[in-house]
Amino acid sequence: MPLYYIFETRADWLGGIALLSVCATIALYIWGALHVMFMENDNMREECTRAGGVAKAAQVDRYEAHYLPLRFTCHLEEGGSYDAALPGYINPAMAIAFILAIATGAVSVVARDQDRSTSPTVTRGR
């Protein structure tokens, strides 16, 4: 069955895009959360070294994971911190996919309501 039978109206297309955007947001979140969740002590130090260099990593006294927004933070002994371990594209891509999902979902609802109001009504007479 061709796609144009499944997505007959503009509202159907927008609803499909909204659904794909929601799926993309969820997939990106899971991908980023997996980076944060499966860090072990050895990996934590490596990621802090990779992100900040050997000198900074030697001053790290603790680590912290955040799940909204997704972040893995290396805290320094004398104060301050820096993020590591998470690909830089995760949070911006997740935000864009989420905004696209909300926008296309809202527009599809409006378009569906417009389609209903302009479609001919069937009346039954006695």
Side-chain angles (χ1 to χ4, degrees), residues 13-116:
W13 278 102
L14 290 168
I17 292 170
L19 181 62
L20 286 174
S21 298
V22 167
C23 292
T25 302
I26 292 168
L28 285 164
Y29 182 82
I30 290 170
W31 179 248
L34 287 173
H35 277 83
V36 174
M37 284 190 322
F38 291 113
M39 299 299 296
E40 297 175 9
N41 286 336
D42 296 336
N43 291 342
M44 290 177 186
R45 180 69 62 186
E46 281 179 30
E47 291 298 331
C48 288
T49 302
R50 192 173 300 139
V54 176
K56 260 189 176 178
Q59 299 173 13
V60 171
D61 65 346
R62 64 186 168 93
Y63 312 98
E64 190 174 15
H66 301 272
Y67 290 94
L68 245 165
L70 287 168
R71 275 193 345 238
F72 177 78
T73 306
C74 306
H75 291 275
L76 303 174
E77 292 170 347
E78 68 255 0
S81 63
Y82 62 96
D83 292 336
L86 194 67
Y89 64 86
I90 294 284
N91 284 320
M94 199 168 52
I96 290 168
F98 182 73
I99 290 168
L100 183 64
I102 297 297
T104 55
V107 173
S108 78
V109 169
V110 170
R112 189 164 286 130
D113 287 345
Q114 287 177 347
D115 289 345
R116 285 185 189 145

